[in-house]
Amino acid sequence: GEDVEQSLFLSVREGDSSVINCTYTDSSSTYLYWYKQEPGAGLQLLTYIFSNMDMKQDQRLTVLLNKKDKHLSLRIADTQTGDSAIYFCAEKGADSSYKLIFGSGTRLLVRP
Amino acid sequence: DAGITQSPRHKVTETGTPVTLRCHQTENHRYMYWYRQDPGHGLRLIHYSYGVKDTDKGEVSDGYSVSRSKTEDFLLTLESATSSQTSVYFCAISDGLDTDTQYFGPGTRLTVL
């Protein structure tokens, strides 16, 4: 079945850039999403990218998609302590009946 | 924020008791979903609904049932709770159009003793 993988943990210094990586197996993916989860809260949509795009930029966030390698990354510029959270990558396949497949999440810790 | 509420937000129950979790939306979205979140597993789909009285199973549906009698409400029932169902449960909604982005509720933390 489809699978989405992420590294578990990333630690960066405040002001540096963060790069969170994700790989997926479904070659029919249509949309790929990044969600942020703060402690005790639900998932908040950060951004998404359509599978025929290579890059999407939204303020401090840059999403890069390498469809050939099935690799997705989220870059956060000028990382702030408020960016500390768990980040989930998710993909939706063309034949997934509206279901999302989530990675296990990457915990980002921003050090002052 | 999308208008999604979940109730209760926290619940502690005993093994073998029935439990019902409620998801309520004010967005009139067609699709509703129940996920569970466990450490190391991300979010896994339990059941979803694509309309009133229309539901289907997700990847971890055993031990759970759902009902949707109105567009705005989606209920998740654990007929006889087990300790393995201790988890955080999230409801999500989507409109089924274009990007079909899913928006999540605040979650319900369920502990089965």
Side-chain angles (χ1 to χ4, degrees):
Chain A
E2 302 95 343
D3 193 23
V4 177
E5 293 193 356
Q6 303 177 237
S7 53
L8 292 181
F9 184 75
L10 176 66
S11 177
V12 300
R13 194 181 302 276
E14 188 175 17
D16 288 349
S17 292
S18 306
V19 179
I20 301 171
N21 294 300
C22 170
T23 58
Y24 59 98
T25 58
D26 186 0
S27 57
S28 69
S29 290
T30 53
Y31 287 95
L32 295 114
Y33 306 83
W34 284 104
Y35 286 88
K36 175 184 180 182
Q37 185 182 34
E38 297 182 3
L43 275 70
Q44 171 195 354
L45 177 72
L46 284 179
T47 188
Y48 65 88
I49 188 167
F50 188 52
S51 59
N52 68 354
M53 296 169 63
D54 297 326
M55 184 182 85
K56 181 178 181 181
Q57 189 152 2
D58 185 0
Q59 299 183 333
R60 292 190 298 121
L61 304 179
T62 302
V63 178
L64 295 178
L65 175 61
N66 182 328
K67 194 174 181 183
K68 174 177 171 290
D69 293 338
K70 299 189 185 68
H71 182 267
L72 181 73
S73 67
L74 174 69
R75 178 177 181 269
I76 305 173
D78 187 25
T79 312
Q80 304 297 307
T81 54
D83 294 323
S84 291
I86 301 177
Y87 291 80
F88 290 94
C89 167
E91 67 96 7
K92 186 171 80 165
D95 56 351
S96 64
S97 301
Y98 307 101
K99 289 176 278 191
L100 293 184
I101 305 298
F102 283 86
S104 55
T106 299
R107 183 178 297 274
L108 173 65
L109 175 66
V110 182
R111 308 185 308 274
Chain B
D1 289 344
I4 312 168
T5 56
Q6 293 185 232
S7 59
R9 294 293 314 280
H10 302 271
K11 186 171 181 67
V12 179
T13 191
E14 293 189 350
T15 298
T17 60
V19 176
T20 295
L21 309 183
R22 180 181 183 239
C23 176
H24 178 80
Q25 61 145 329
T26 58
E27 306 296 320
N28 200 36
H29 280 2
R30 178 181 175 189
Y31 295 86
M32 299 186 74
Y33 312 80
W34 278 109
Y35 292 88
R36 59 178 288 174
Q37 183 180 28
D38 303 292
H41 289 280
L43 276 78
R44 293 180 292 175
L45 183 67
I46 305 171
H47 282 279
Y48 69 101
S49 169
Y50 46 97
V52 173
K53 298 194 190 312
D54 293 322
T55 65
D56 203 355
K57 296 178 180 180
E59 62 179 309
V60 290
S61 59
D62 287 349
Y64 301 95
S65 62
V66 289
S67 66
R68 189 167 179 203
S69 58
K70 298 185 289 185
T71 298
E72 57 266 35
D73 290 326
F74 193 32
L75 304 181
L76 177 70
T77 298
L78 291 65
E79 300 289 347
S80 177
T82 67
S83 58
S84 65
Q85 293 176 312
T86 292
S87 187
V88 181
Y89 292 86
F90 287 100
C91 173
I93 64 174
S94 70
D95 59 13
L97 304 173
D98 298 329
T99 64
D100 192 33
T101 301
Q102 291 188 18
Y103 298 95
F104 285 79
T108 294
R109 181 173 295 276
L110 175 67
T111 301
V112 183
L113 301 176

Coordinates of all heavy atoms in Angstrom, one line a residue, chain A residues 31 33 35 37 40-43 45 48 88 92 97-100 102-105, chain B residues 9 31 33 35 37 40 42-43 45 48 90 96 98-102 104-106:
Chain A
Y31 N -2.1 15.6 -4.8 CA -1.8 16.7 -3.9 C -0.9 16.2 -2.7 O -1.1 15.1 -2.3 CB -3.0 17.4 -3.3 CG -3.7 18.3 -4.4 CD1 -4.8 17.7 -5.1 CD2 -3.3 19.6 -4.6 CE1 -5.5 18.5 -6.0 CE2 -4.0 20.3 -5.5 CZ -5.1 19.8 -6.2 OH -5.7 20.6 -7.1
Y33 N 0.5 17.6 1.1 CA 0.2 18.6 2.1 C 1.2 18.7 3.2 O 1.8 17.6 3.6 CB -1.2 18.3 2.7 CG -2.3 18.1 1.7 CD1 -2.5 16.9 1.1 CD2 -3.2 19.2 1.5 CE1 -3.5 16.7 0.2 CE2 -4.3 19.0 0.6 CZ -4.4 17.7 0.0 OH -5.5 17.5 -0.9
Y35 N 1.1 19.8 7.3 CA 0.3 20.2 8.4 C 1.3 20.5 9.6 O 2.3 19.8 9.7 CB -0.7 19.1 8.8 CG -1.9 19.0 7.9 CD1 -1.8 18.2 6.8 CD2 -3.1 19.7 8.2 CE1 -3.0 18.0 6.0 CE2 -4.2 19.6 7.4 CZ -4.1 18.7 6.3 OH -5.2 18.6 5.5
Q37 N 1.3 20.7 13.9 CA 0.5 20.4 15.1 C 1.3 20.9 16.3 O 2.4 20.4 16.6 CB 0.3 18.8 15.3 CG -0.6 18.5 16.5 CD -0.8 17.0 16.6 OE1 0.1 16.2 16.3 NE2 -2.0 16.6 17.1
G40 N -1.1 19.6 22.2 CA -2.5 19.6 22.6 C -3.5 20.1 21.6 O -4.7 20.3 22.0
A41 N -3.1 20.3 20.4 CA -4.0 20.9 19.4 C -4.2 20.0 18.2 O -3.5 19.0 18.1 CB -3.4 22.3 18.9
G42 N -5.1 20.4 17.4 CA -5.3 19.6 16.1 C -4.3 20.0 15.1 O -3.4 20.7 15.3
L43 N -4.5 19.4 13.9 CA -3.6 19.7 12.8 C -4.0 21.0 12.0 O -5.2 21.1 11.7 CB -3.5 18.5 11.8 CG -2.6 17.4 12.2 CD1 -3.1 16.7 13.4 CD2 -2.4 16.5 11.0
L45 N -3.4 23.2 8.6 CA -2.9 23.2 7.3 C -1.9 24.3 7.1 O -2.2 25.5 7.4 CB -3.9 23.3 6.2 CG -3.4 23.3 4.8 CD1 -2.9 21.9 4.4 CD2 -4.5 23.7 3.9
Y48 N 0.1 23.4 0.7 CA -0.1 22.2 -0.2 C 0.6 22.5 -1.5 O 0.8 23.6 -1.9 CB -1.5 21.8 -0.3 CG -2.3 22.8 -1.1 CD1 -2.4 22.7 -2.5 CD2 -3.0 23.8 -0.4 CE1 -3.1 23.7 -3.2 CE2 -3.7 24.8 -1.1 CZ -3.8 24.7 -2.5 OH -4.5 25.7 -3.2
F88 N 3.6 17.3 9.8 CA 3.2 16.1 9.1 C 3.1 16.4 7.6 O 2.5 17.4 7.2 CB 1.8 15.7 9.6 CG 1.7 15.1 11.0 CD1 1.4 16.0 12.0 CD2 2.0 13.8 11.2 CE1 1.4 15.5 13.3 CE2 1.9 13.3 12.5 CZ 1.7 14.1 13.6
K92 N -2.3 12.6 -1.2 CA -3.6 12.1 -1.7 C -3.3 11.5 -3.1 O -2.8 12.2 -3.9 CB -4.6 13.2 -1.7 CG -6.0 12.6 -2.1 CD -7.1 13.7 -1.9 CE -7.1 14.6 -3.0 NZ -8.4 15.4 -3.1
S97 N -9.9 7.9 -3.1 CA -11.3 8.2 -2.6 C -11.3 9.2 -1.5 O -11.9 9.0 -0.4 CB -11.9 6.9 -2.0 OG -12.0 5.9 -3.1
Y98 N -10.5 10.3 -1.7 CA -10.5 11.4 -0.8 C -9.7 11.1 0.5 O -9.7 11.9 1.5 CB -11.9 11.9 -0.4 CG -12.7 12.2 -1.7 CD1 -13.6 11.3 -2.1 CD2 -12.4 13.3 -2.4 CE1 -14.3 11.6 -3.3 CE2 -13.1 13.6 -3.6 CZ -14.0 12.7 -4.0 OH -14.7 12.9 -5.2
K99 N -9.0 10.0 0.6 CA -8.3 9.7 1.8 C -6.9 10.2 1.7 O -6.3 10.2 0.7 CB -8.3 8.1 2.0 CG -9.6 7.6 2.4 CD -9.6 6.1 2.5 CE -9.7 5.4 1.2 NZ -9.9 4.0 1.2
L100 N -6.4 10.7 2.9 CA -5.0 11.1 3.0 C -4.1 10.0 3.7 O -4.6 9.4 4.6 CB -4.9 12.4 3.8 CG -5.5 13.7 3.2 CD1 -5.2 14.8 4.1 CD2 -5.0 13.9 1.8
F102 N -0.8 9.8 5.8 CA 0.1 10.7 6.6 C 1.4 10.0 6.9 O 1.5 8.8 7.2 CB -0.6 11.1 8.0 CG -1.6 12.1 7.8 CD1 -2.9 11.7 7.5 CD2 -1.3 13.4 8.0 CE1 -3.9 12.7 7.4 CE2 -2.3 14.4 7.9 CZ -3.6 14.0 7.6
G103 N 2.5 10.8 7.0 CA 3.7 10.4 7.6 C 3.6 10.4 9.1 O 2.6 10.9 9.7
S104 N 4.6 9.9 9.8 CA 4.5 9.8 11.3 C 4.9 11.1 12.0 O 4.8 11.2 13.2 CB 5.4 8.7 11.8 OG 6.7 8.8 11.3
G105 N 5.3 12.1 11.2 CA 5.5 13.4 11.8 C 7.0 13.7 12.1 O 7.7 12.7 12.6
Chain B
R9 N -13.8 16.5 24.9 CA -12.4 16.8 24.6 C -11.5 15.8 25.3 O -10.5 15.4 24.8 CB -12.0 18.2 25.0 CG -12.7 19.3 24.1 CD -12.3 19.3 22.7 NE -10.8 19.1 22.5 CZ -10.0 20.1 22.6 NH1 -10.4 21.4 22.9 NH2 -8.7 19.9 22.5
Y31 N -17.7 15.8 3.1 CA -16.9 14.7 3.6 C -16.5 15.0 5.0 O -16.1 16.1 5.4 CB -15.7 14.5 2.7 CG -16.0 14.1 1.3 CD1 -16.2 15.1 0.4 CD2 -16.0 12.8 1.0 CE1 -16.5 14.7 -0.9 CE2 -16.3 12.4 -0.3 CZ -16.6 13.4 -1.3 OH -16.9 13.0 -2.6
Y33 N -14.3 12.8 8.4 CA -13.4 11.7 8.6 C -13.1 11.6 10.1 O -13.1 12.5 10.8 CB -12.0 12.0 7.9 CG -12.1 12.5 6.5 CD1 -12.4 13.8 6.2 CD2 -11.9 11.6 5.4 CE1 -12.5 14.2 4.8 CE2 -11.9 12.0 4.1 CZ -12.2 13.3 3.8 OH -12.3 13.7 2.5
Y35 N -10.0 10.0 12.4 CA -8.6 9.5 12.5 C -8.3 9.2 14.0 O -8.8 9.8 14.9 CB -7.6 10.5 12.0 CG -7.6 10.8 10.5 CD1 -8.4 11.8 10.0 CD2 -6.8 10.1 9.6 CE1 -8.5 12.2 8.7 CE2 -6.8 10.4 8.3 CZ -7.6 11.5 7.8 OH -7.6 11.7 6.4
Q37 N -4.6 9.1 16.4 CA -3.2 9.5 16.4 C -2.5 8.8 17.5 O -2.9 8.9 18.7 CB -3.0 11.0 16.5 CG -1.6 11.4 16.4 CD -1.4 12.9 16.6 OE1 -2.1 13.6 17.2 NE2 -0.3 13.4 16.0
G40 N 4.4 7.4 16.8 CA 5.1 6.6 15.8 C 4.2 6.2 14.6 O 4.7 5.5 13.7
G42 N 1.7 8.5 13.2 CA 1.0 9.6 12.5 C -0.5 9.5 12.7 O -0.9 9.1 13.8
L43 N -1.2 9.8 11.7 CA -2.7 9.7 11.7 C -3.2 8.6 10.8 O -2.7 8.4 9.7 CB -3.4 11.0 11.3 CG -3.5 12.1 12.3 CD1 -2.2 12.8 12.5 CD2 -4.6 13.1 12.0
L45 N -6.6 6.6 9.3 CA -8.0 6.7 9.0 C -8.8 5.6 9.6 O -8.6 4.4 9.3 CB -8.3 6.9 7.5 CG -9.7 7.1 7.1 CD1 -10.2 8.5 7.6 CD2 -9.8 7.0 5.6
Y48 N -14.8 7.1 7.2 CA -15.1 8.4 6.6 C -16.5 8.4 6.1 O -17.1 7.3 5.9 CB -14.1 8.8 5.6 CG -14.1 8.0 4.3 CD1 -14.7 8.5 3.1 CD2 -13.4 6.8 4.2 CE1 -14.7 7.8 2.0 CE2 -13.4 6.1 3.0 CZ -14.0 6.6 1.9 OH -14.0 5.9 0.7
F90 N -9.2 12.4 16.1 CA -9.4 13.7 15.3 C -10.5 13.5 14.3 O -10.5 12.5 13.5 CB -8.1 14.1 14.7 CG -7.1 14.7 15.6 CD1 -6.0 13.9 16.0 CD2 -7.2 16.0 16.1 CE1 -5.1 14.4 16.9 CE2 -6.2 16.5 17.0 CZ -5.2 15.7 17.4
G96 N -14.5 18.2 -0.9 CA -14.4 17.3 -2.0 C -14.1 18.0 -3.4 O -14.2 17.3 -4.4
D98 N -11.6 20.6 -5.9 CA -10.3 21.1 -6.2 C -9.2 20.4 -5.3 O -9.0 19.2 -5.4 CB -10.2 22.6 -6.0 CG -11.1 23.3 -7.0 OD1 -11.3 22.7 -8.1 OD2 -11.7 24.3 -6.7
T99 N -8.6 21.1 -4.4 CA -7.6 20.6 -3.6 C -8.1 19.6 -2.5 O -7.4 18.8 -1.9 CB -6.8 21.7 -2.8 OG1 -7.6 22.3 -1.9 CG2 -6.2 22.7 -3.8
D100 N -9.4 19.7 -2.2 CA -10.0 18.8 -1.3 C -9.3 18.8 0.1 O -9.1 17.8 0.7 CB -10.2 17.4 -1.8 CG -11.1 16.6 -1.0 OD1 -12.1 17.1 -0.4 OD2 -10.8 15.4 -0.8
T101 N -8.9 20.0 0.5 CA -8.1 20.1 1.7 C -8.9 19.6 2.9 O -10.1 20.0 3.0 CB -7.6 21.5 1.9 OG1 -6.8 21.9 0.8 CG2 -6.8 21.7 3.2
Q102 N -8.3 18.9 3.8 CA -8.9 18.4 5.0 C -8.6 19.4 6.1 O -7.4 19.7 6.3 CB -8.5 17.0 5.4 CG -9.1 16.0 4.4 CD -8.9 14.5 4.8 OE1 -8.6 14.3 6.0 NE2 -9.0 13.6 3.8
F104 N -9.0 20.0 10.3 CA -9.1 19.2 11.5 C -9.7 19.8 12.7 O -9.5 21.0 12.9 CB -7.7 18.6 11.9 CG -7.2 17.6 10.9 CD1 -6.7 17.9 9.7 CD2 -7.3 16.2 11.3 CE1 -6.3 16.9 8.8 CE2 -6.9 15.2 10.5 CZ -6.4 15.6 9.2
G105 N -10.4 19.0 13.5 CA -10.9 19.5 14.8 C -9.9 19.5 15.8 O -8.7 19.0 15.5
P106 N -10.2 19.9 17.1 CA -9.2 20.0 18.1 C -8.8 18.7 18.8 O -7.8 18.6 19.5 CB -9.9 20.9 19.1 CG -11.3 20.6 18.9 CD -11.5 20.4 17.5

